[in-house]
Amino acid sequence: MAPASHITDIFLLPGEYFVGGAGHRIRTLLGSCVSIILWHPERKIGTMSHFLLSSRNQGKSTGLNSRYGAESLALMLSELRTLGVDPKECQAKIFGGGQMFPGSSQGIGRQNGEEALRLLQAHGIRVVSESLYGMGHRNIIFDISSGHVWSRHVTPGQSPVEQASQRPHARRTGLHATLTQAAQQQAVEALAQAALPDDTTPSAKAKRTCGGAQRLFSLMQ
């Protein structure tokens, strides 16, 4: 793992992805959305997405949009190849697809998870780990230098004591898995923006894929 002082934290908002090297650590907060993580163990290069839907409705296309599973993965694979990385040599991990509220349908989350699994199989990329479905949300941290991913699954109604009981595992790695309130607020605000129609300011949305994800947040407590 790279020294803590040399690590750049990236917080992914819904509909974003990031590709980078060992000096980066990527975080996100997932509900029904899904993150696909790819990591090359020799090159120490990794990528992570945060897509909202498995596919878009048929209609006018404005180019690849990383809010959707297949399109997000296509963008990630293209950037990996530009860096000289063969995606088939990467290890894949998948997280998310949760059901956020008791009694609500898990349809979107399950569709997202199944789409992620299908896409990786179609591209011949081996899935080494997954944490999908179930109630609640997940805090995800991906350290590109080591390939390690920490996932903290929080269910609705879970007490502060129960949440705290999951933290020793995160502290043992030298990381805090709990996102700051500021970062969580950024994620909530992004959900409203991500729900806008595809034809809403496409140029602005393009800036919020890989480039937009590079806004830095201090998430260490």
Side-chain angles (χ1 to χ4, degrees):
M1 181 182 297
S5 60
H6 297 153
I7 293 178
T8 300
D9 275 307
I10 305 296
F11 186 80
L12 287 186
L13 299 177
E16 295 182 339
Y17 71 100
F18 182 81
V19 182
H24 297 92
R25 183 167 52 211
I26 315 174
R27 305 165 182 252
T28 199
L29 178 66
L30 298 170
S32 61
C33 298
V34 162
S35 282
I36 293 177
I37 294 174
L38 303 178
W39 183 68
H40 195 286
E42 295 181 4
R43 298 285 305 280
K44 300 295 188 292
I45 292 175
T47 179
M48 177 172 163
S49 64
H50 181 154
F51 70 85
L52 291 86
L53 297 170
S54 57
S55 61
R56 74 168 84 194
N57 294 328
Q58 296 298 322
K60 182 179 178 181
S61 174
T62 56
L64 292 177
N65 189 321
S66 55
R67 295 194 301 168
Y68 306 100
E71 299 176 51
S72 176
L73 183 60
L75 290 165
M76 294 161 67
L77 298 185
S78 175
E79 293 204 26
L80 286 176
R81 293 187 180 105
T82 298
L83 295 173
V85 173
D86 183 352
K88 291 184 179 181
E89 296 177 356
C90 291
Q91 300 174 0
K93 299 181 181 182
I94 313 173
F95 299 88
Q99 180 181 352
M100 290 301 295
F101 306 103
S104 64
S105 170
Q106 197 177 16
I108 293 178
R110 183 161 291 277
Q111 289 174 15
N112 286 341
E114 291 175 350
E115 175 71 355
L117 290 165
R118 185 192 68 79
L119 288 169
L120 291 169
Q121 182 179 22
H123 285 280
I125 302 173
R126 182 170 62 99
V127 177
V128 298
S129 178
E130 64 183 75
S131 177
L132 292 168
Y133 316 130
M135 293 291 301
H137 67 272
R138 291 171 171 86
N139 291 327
I140 306 297
I141 303 174
F142 170 35
D143 181 75
I144 298 181
S145 67
S146 65
H148 293 159
V149 180
W150 291 270
S151 172
R152 188 165 69 90
H153 190 182
V154 180
T155 59
Q158 192 173 24
S159 71
V161 173
E162 291 172 323
Q163 293 187 31
S165 69
Q166 299 181 26
R167 293 183 183 175
H169 172 72
R171 283 199 296 267
R172 183 159 46 85
T173 67
L175 303 175
H176 292 278
T178 303
L179 299 176
T180 63
Q181 291 183 351
Q184 292 191 40
Q185 182 62 32
Q186 289 287 340
V188 170
E189 292 173 355
L191 287 172
Q193 178 181 5
L196 295 173
D198 287 341
D199 58 356
T200 302
T201 58
S203 60
K205 284 185 179 180
K207 295 177 183 178
R208 288 194 52 77
T209 55
C210 186
Q214 296 182 47
R215 290 183 303 153
L216 307 182
F217 294 86
S218 176
L219 302 179
M220 304 302 291
Q221 297 179 343

